[in-house]
Amino acid sequence: MKFNKTIFNTITIVGTQWGDEGKGKVVHFLSRDADYIVRYQGGNNAGHTIVIDGKEYILHLIPAGILEHKKCIIANGVVIDPKALFNEIKFLEKKGFYIKNNLFISDLAHVILPYHKYLDTIKETTQKIGTTQKGIGPCYGDMYSRSGIRICDYLENDTFEELIEKNLKEKYPLIKKFVNVNDLKRYIFKEQKKFSKFIKPYVANTTNLLLDLIYKNKKIIFESAQGTLLDVNFGTYPYVTSSHPISGGVSTGTGIPPFYINKIVGIAKAYTTRVGEGPFPTELEEKDQTFLRTQGKEYGATTGRPRRCGWFDAVIVKHAIKINGITELILTKLDCLKNINPLKICIAYKYKNKLLTEFPASRKLQKYVTPVYVQTEGFSQDIRGITKYCDLPKNVKNYVRLIEKYCQKEIKMISLGRDRNETIFK
Ligand code: IMO
Ligand code: MG
């Protein structure tokens, strides 16, 4: 994976499934060669696990490049919970990572406030999505309904107080069973005093910063959170997150024109997982999920929930390739399929005897389609530690070839373990 010197030095990393594809590892791997790493959407609903020398780091807001001591940007498309940001910075500093001068936060990013989390909880009682309960949906909702509070508002005491008074008039009736209004206000203002002072030195016009970096031909990685099937437009609506994890989200999420986004790398896990509710055509029967869940350590990095597990679905990955304009694929967690025989890949769906090769928009179809599989022989060898593609067992290469065939895209890199060294170029 090389930066594209002839055009612009940017790489966009997107998830092709329902999140947790291993974006964190890939971004960390590539950030050694990069100058800046940028998060452009989502919030601390993301959980990016990176393993360095056997030590595990879970990041929720700050781009994985921080672990390579690179400069990082949290752009305007991200929603920021100030307390979560504070905790993450403190956690990283304790581990010896230098954050000051290495982190830039957009003054236009929207702020998650305590009432967003209450509203997230309430909404789950009438429409169960299985959200992370971090207030993500209600915060983006406020942005679109023009009630949002941005970082630049958060830093101005008088503006902030005025906006809170206005917002609570609208929201307090909905959340009053959780909290007393005066206690809530006191808490919100106390936190704002503390965190605004803390955040201020990091705040910048990150669009200007990015444009300047692009003109200087700096190498930039745009790091997505979540995945294409969780995109609010192109995912399994309404079982989605409230932002745009797709490559198109980079432009609105950072303020840079779309023609700078020209190298788009899709991350696909060698099987499929999903956390929370919603359709999942290739989901295994519960009793058959345990083996893969254990082998793949498939537990949510943000909420600890067991992830639902299933076969690789070429229909959704092809959908992601199209929507994102993916130029190359990276396959992760291939090692976790050891001792599963046979291996299956979904290549189409069937609904009432009709064959579907495109991911359907209808929620009814998404729920009731049955997958059409091809199958191939599994492998029993431990493939971690293999450093050359040609050294992989024949059955593993067959499986990779089938994925390429049915996704109609070449796989350029394969991850065979959590550490950066456990990565091979094809
Ligand atoms: P990373 O970046 C997997 C899911 C939640 C829920 C839905 C909506 O680690 O891939 P939200 O709290 O966003 O309103 O919840 O989206 N979800 C994720 N699933 N990986 C993630 O992030 C996710 N972030 C949100 O489980 O189904
Ligand atoms: Mg994750």
Side-chain angles (χ1 to χ4, degrees), residues 18-23 39 41 43-49 59-60 120 124 129-138 224-227 230 238-242 273-278 301-303 305 307:
W18 280 282
D20 302 319
E21 298 92 349
K23 299 176 292 292
R39 264 283 300 272
Q41 49 69 235
N44 60 322
N45 48 349
H48 295 172
T49 308
L59 297 177
H60 301 288
D120 207 348
E124 282 287 290
I129 300 293
T131 74
T132 59
Q133 303 277 296
K134 303 286 183 192
I136 307 293
S224 168
Q226 292 85 47
L230 287 172
Y239 301 96
V240 291
T241 192
S242 301
T273 63
R274 135 159 245 184
V275 210
E277 306 297 311
T302 299
T303 58
R305 289 176 291 177
R307 295 182 185 137

Side-chain angles (χ1 to χ4, degrees), residues 126-357:
T126 54
Q127 186 188 33
K128 194 161 176 4
I129 300 293
T131 74
T132 59
Q133 303 277 296
K134 303 286 183 192
I136 307 293
C139 183
Y140 278 115
D142 270 2
M143 174 173 108
Y144 283 107
S145 62
R146 296 163 297 212
S147 308
I149 296 181
R150 301 159 306 162
I151 289 287
C152 57
D153 305 317
Y154 193 72
L155 299 186
E156 288 174 10
N157 289 340
D158 49 350
T159 309
F160 181 72
E161 279 172 33
E162 201 181 299
L163 291 172
I164 289 292
E165 293 293 345
K166 217 159 104 191
N167 276 349
L168 283 181
K169 271 203 195 99
E170 179 189 303
K171 299 180 202 306
Y172 187 66
L174 301 170
I175 61 173
K176 64 180 181 209
K177 69 169 182 195
F178 290 103
V179 64
N180 169 282
V181 71
N182 292 323
D183 291 346
L184 178 63
K185 271 190 211 168
R186 247 195 313 279
Y187 180 74
I188 288 177
F189 293 135
K190 195 174 135 215
E191 285 211 320
Q192 182 257 352
K193 296 275 164 340
K194 176 179 171 187
F195 296 132
S196 61
K197 227 182 266 155
F198 177 79
I199 290 173
K200 200 171 178 192
Y202 299 104
V203 177
N205 178 332
T206 53
T207 301
N208 280 353
L209 171 63
L210 273 168
L211 287 172
D212 189 51
L213 293 168
I214 291 172
Y215 296 143
K216 289 180 178 147
N217 220 20
K218 294 282 182 204
K219 300 185 187 106
I220 301 165
I221 296 175
F222 294 105
E223 171 185 343
S224 168
Q226 292 85 47
T228 304
L229 274 293
L230 287 172
D231 183 277
V232 67
N233 270 134
F234 298 100
T236 40
Y237 191 86
Y239 301 96
V240 291
T241 192
S242 301
S243 67
H244 295 289
I246 59 169
S247 61
V250 174
S251 187
T252 53
T254 62
I256 67 158
F259 50 78
Y260 292 130
I261 303 143
N262 57 10
K263 192 174 182 110
I264 299 147
V265 178
I267 316 299
K269 184 143 59 179
Y271 48 97
T272 314
T273 63
R274 135 159 245 184
V275 210
E277 306 297 311
F280 181 177
T282 63
E283 184 170 20
L284 287 158
E285 273 189 48
E286 180 52 41
K287 65 176 174 31
D288 298 325
Q289 293 191 25
T290 319
F291 185 78
L292 193 50
R293 185 178 296 133
T294 308
Q295 203 150 264
K297 295 194 168 70
E298 296 297 351
Y299 292 89
T302 299
T303 58
R305 289 176 291 177
R307 295 182 185 137
R308 298 158 63 191
C309 298
W311 297 115
F312 186 90
D313 184 343
V315 180
I316 65 162
V317 175
K318 242 171 33 190
H319 172 70
I321 290 169
K322 191 164 62 179
I323 300 298
N324 291 285
I326 287 168
T327 46
E328 43 220 276
L329 268 184
I330 293 180
L331 195 66
T332 61
K333 302 189 89 164
L334 187 56
D335 55 302
C336 302
L337 288 175
K338 183 177 134 179
N339 290 332
I340 298 175
N341 203 15
L343 292 169
K344 292 188 188 179
I345 294 171
C346 166
I347 57 166
Y349 304 141
K350 255 193 175 161
Y351 182 73
K352 294 189 174 164
N353 284 331
K354 238 176 102 185
L355 194 71
L356 306 174
T357 51

Side-chain angles (χ1 to χ4, degrees), residues 5-109:
K5 281 237 163 61
T6 52
I7 318 177
F8 305 110
N9 273 325
T10 72
I11 295 181
T12 297
I13 305 289
V14 293
T16 61
Q17 295 153 325
W18 280 282
D20 302 319
E21 298 92 349
K23 299 176 292 292
K25 173 188 162 160
V26 173
V27 170
H28 177 244
F29 183 90
L30 295 176
S31 57
R32 194 170 277 185
D33 290 332
D35 298 306
Y36 279 76
I37 298 89
V38 186
R39 264 283 300 272
Y40 63 91
Q41 49 69 235
N44 60 322
N45 48 349
H48 295 172
T49 308
I50 297 109
V51 177
I52 307 172
D53 299 329
K55 265 192 238 143
E56 187 180 278
Y57 300 87
I58 298 175
L59 297 177
H60 301 288
L61 267 172
I62 302 178
I66 205 77
L67 303 178
E68 280 293 313
H69 309 278
K70 294 296 166 109
K71 297 210 184 285
C72 291
I73 295 175
I74 298 179
N76 58 278
V78 177
V79 286
I80 299 174
D81 180 336
K83 192 175 182 174
L85 179 69
F86 174 86
N87 288 339
E88 195 158 309
I89 291 175
K90 290 288 164 205
F91 161 80
L92 287 167
E93 282 178 341
K94 228 191 242 162
K95 299 276 176 196
F97 294 95
Y98 181 71
I99 313 295
K100 287 235 160 65
N101 303 329
N102 272 354
L103 180 66
F104 302 86
I105 297 170
S106 169
D107 50 2
L108 294 178

